[in-house]
Amino acid sequence: MRIVVQADPFDFGAEAAAFAEGRDDLGAVVTFTGVVRGDAALERMEIEHYPGMTEKALEQIAAEAVRRWDLGDVLVIHRYGPMRPGERIMMVATAAAHREAAFDSAAFLMDYLKSRAPFWKKEHAADGDSWVAARAADEAALTRW
Amino acid sequence: MRIVVQADPFDFGAEAAAFAEGRDDLGAVVTFTGVVRGDAALERMEIEHYPGMTEKALEQIAAEAVRRWDLGDVLVIHRYGPMRPGERIMMVATAAAHREAAFDSAAFLMDYLKSRAPFWKKEHAADGDSWVAARAADEAALTRW
Amino acid sequence: MDVLYFAWVRERIGLPRERVDTSAATVADLVAELSAREERYAAAFADLAALRVAVDQELADFDAPLAGVREVAFFPPMTGG
Amino acid sequence: MDVLYFAWVRERIGLPRERVDTSAATVADLVAELSAREERYAAAFADLAALRVAVDQELADFDAPLAGVREVAFFPPMTGG
């Protein structure tokens, strides 16, 4: 299990390739990557976080995934600070013997990370700045677990 | 949409990094990778396929995913021939505006690929060879879509 | 038409493909015709529930008609991914 | 104790953290105490349904007790991922 919170970009290809590499007990690997979506007006996205609590919250969420599914490995990387449209914000990766556990645990990590890890997105656009509002659908997604 | 059927290994890290790279309309990217699981006795796995029909079946499955979800891109790579435990057999990748579509379509592709694309696995072990039997759970998984 | 065999069906029949001249109306008729030929065919086709069939590279049922068909393939349930 | 503010709560109050000497028994008491101080606090805490709170870096409710607590943080619903 590896949890990384950093301002710098991460190398998604290298992280994906190294995750669970050569492990022959894990038949299924799932990755999810979040990317800054842009529209004509968006100049940059700024992610604020709560140093200390962020790492703790991500570790608790990952530990809960490991408790619920039989996972061979879990990776969470999340950036903070300024990012441009098209840049990768974060990734999770899960590895399990079979695909159901790998898919479900990755979706679980994302649902909890969205609504329970202390990150806040602010959009800086040509026509002004605004904090991204939490989606009701994201809070509702937690009830399925 | 890209469908690749080949005997050679593929570079998972490079494929994952290149998929939907820089697309700022796609906030969510999911990958699934299947790996040869080993146990003490397994020496190698051999995958047989049906040239011509394989490509056609994978294209139909990917087209159906694009019809059901609003996907910005889809990738399917599947190998055939001999492989050793720990080697990557195949991958799928999906990209969408939001995570629900990316997760669901990747799981859909895997469920259909498992039971509807003409691949057959044979295990070569120290104590003999055997064809891998289809799992009832894999056929049952199709009913959820 | 061309008849193709994959995985253990290929191994049991002993060849990957063959040219078959037939007037069988359906896949099931073709199966009956081949099974009558030789024991190895009868053995391969003994349990149709354990077999899948593709007609011109599309999955089909055993009652699928063969008129105009160029290629029929028999194989066990697929195990990709 | 240390009181931290994030996102628009931080902007509205005008600072990221401060040291508060308080005898508030619960988070809700602390909110009432801060709101009584100055208009910017009252504005930030006007709608508690739009706020979340963490006590010693764990998500908590507004009725959570503050005895022995070192750090309380206020922020809007989270939007990571």
Side-chain angles (χ1 to χ4, degrees):
Chain A
M1 185 163 118
R2 193 170 138 245
I3 309 289
V4 181
V5 180
Q6 64 182 31
D8 289 335
F10 59 94
D11 184 337
F12 174 60
E15 295 289 351
F19 180 74
E21 167 65 19
R23 284 281 297 269
D24 73 359
D25 55 331
L26 303 171
V29 178
V30 168
T31 72
F32 175 90
T33 318
V35 176
V36 180
R37 276 191 304 133
D39 60 34
L42 186 68
E43 287 164 359
R44 66 191 162 85
M45 159 94 74
E46 180 104 22
I47 299 185
E48 183 170 336
H49 80 122
Y50 184 169
M53 178 171 167
T54 307
E55 293 78 359
K56 203 178 293 186
L58 293 177
E59 271 158 28
Q60 285 169 352
I61 294 168
E64 178 65 18
V66 169
R67 199 185 64 74
R68 291 184 182 220
W69 290 276
D70 193 10
L71 301 180
D73 205 357
V74 176
L75 168 66
V76 179
I77 302 177
H78 205 300
R79 295 175 62 195
Y80 58 87
M83 279 159 247
R84 299 204 169 272
E87 275 192 64
R88 298 179 201 271
I89 303 169
M90 51 77 62
M91 72 175 286
V92 303
T94 57
H98 295 287
R99 74 186 187 286
E100 295 84 356
F103 270 121
D104 289 350
S105 60
F108 169 91
L109 286 172
M110 285 309 304
D111 283 353
Y112 271 81
L113 190 154
K114 280 263 169 194
S115 302
R116 294 290 182 268
F119 293 101
W120 301 275
K121 290 182 181 136
K122 189 173 197 177
E123 293 181 340
H124 297 262
D127 56 353
D129 300 347
S130 61
W131 290 97
V132 172
R135 293 197 306 164
D138 284 334
E139 187 65 33
L142 298 183
T143 62
R144 64 176 166 146
W145 304 109
Chain B
M1 183 163 120
R2 193 169 137 243
I3 309 289
V4 180
V5 181
Q6 64 182 33
D8 289 335
F10 59 94
D11 183 338
F12 174 60
E15 295 289 352
F19 180 75
E21 167 65 18
R23 285 280 297 268
D24 72 2
D25 55 331
L26 304 172
V29 177
V30 168
T31 72
F32 176 90
T33 317
V35 177
V36 180
R37 277 191 305 133
D39 61 34
L42 185 68
E43 287 164 358
R44 67 188 163 88
M45 158 93 72
E46 180 104 23
I47 298 185
E48 182 170 337
H49 81 122
Y50 183 169
M53 178 171 167
T54 307
E55 293 78 357
K56 204 178 293 186
L58 293 177
E59 270 158 29
Q60 286 167 352
I61 294 166
E64 178 65 18
V66 169
R67 200 185 65 73
R68 291 183 182 221
W69 290 276
D70 192 12
L71 301 180
D73 205 357
V74 176
L75 168 66
V76 180
I77 302 177
H78 205 300
R79 296 175 59 194
Y80 57 88
M83 277 158 249
R84 300 204 169 272
E87 276 191 63
R88 299 180 201 270
I89 303 169
M90 51 76 62
M91 71 174 287
V92 302
T94 57
H98 295 287
R99 74 187 188 286
E100 297 82 358
F103 269 121
D104 289 351
S105 60
F108 170 92
L109 286 171
M110 285 310 304
D111 283 353
Y112 271 82
L113 189 156
K114 280 261 169 195
S115 301
R116 293 292 181 268
F119 293 101
W120 301 274
K121 290 183 181 136
K122 189 173 196 177
E123 292 182 339
H124 297 261
D127 56 352
D129 300 347
S130 61
W131 291 98
V132 172
R135 292 197 305 164
D138 284 334
E139 186 65 32
L142 298 183
T143 61
R144 64 175 166 147
W145 304 110
Chain C
M1 81 187 56
D2 290 313
V3 182
L4 285 70
Y5 311 109
F6 291 96
W8 60 254
V9 182
R10 170 180 56 70
E11 290 178 339
R12 210 163 288 180
I13 291 178
L15 74 179
R17 65 189 300 155
E18 62 185 317
R19 181 92 202 154
V20 175
D21 288 315
T22 178
S23 54
T26 66
V27 172
D29 292 342
L30 176 63
V31 166
E33 195 178 303
L34 292 167
S35 295
R37 262 196 197 173
E38 277 183 61
E39 177 50 30
R40 59 196 168 111
Y41 289 96
F45 292 121
D47 179 13
L48 291 189
L51 288 184
R52 300 290 179 268
V53 61
V55 170
D56 283 341
Q57 305 191 349
E58 296 274 355
L59 288 171
D61 294 320
F62 282 88
D63 58 6
L66 292 183
V69 163
R70 296 175 315 269
E71 186 170 303
V72 175
F74 296 101
F75 42 79
M78 294 155 272
T79 55
Chain D
M1 81 188 53
D2 290 312
V3 182
L4 285 69
Y5 310 108
F6 292 96
W8 60 253
V9 182
R10 171 180 56 70
E11 291 178 339
R12 211 163 288 183
I13 292 179
L15 75 178
R17 67 189 297 155
E18 60 185 318
R19 182 91 201 154
V20 175
D21 289 314
T22 179
S23 54
T26 66
V27 172
D29 293 342
L30 175 63
V31 166
E33 195 179 303
L34 292 168
S35 296
R37 262 197 196 173
E38 277 183 60
E39 176 51 31
R40 59 196 168 109
Y41 290 95
F45 292 123
D47 179 13
L48 290 189
L51 288 185
R52 299 291 178 269
V53 61
V55 170
D56 282 341
Q57 305 191 349
E58 296 274 356
L59 287 172
D61 294 320
F62 282 87
D63 59 5
L66 292 183
V69 164
R70 296 177 316 270
E71 186 172 304
V72 175
F74 296 100
F75 41 79
M78 294 154 274
T79 55

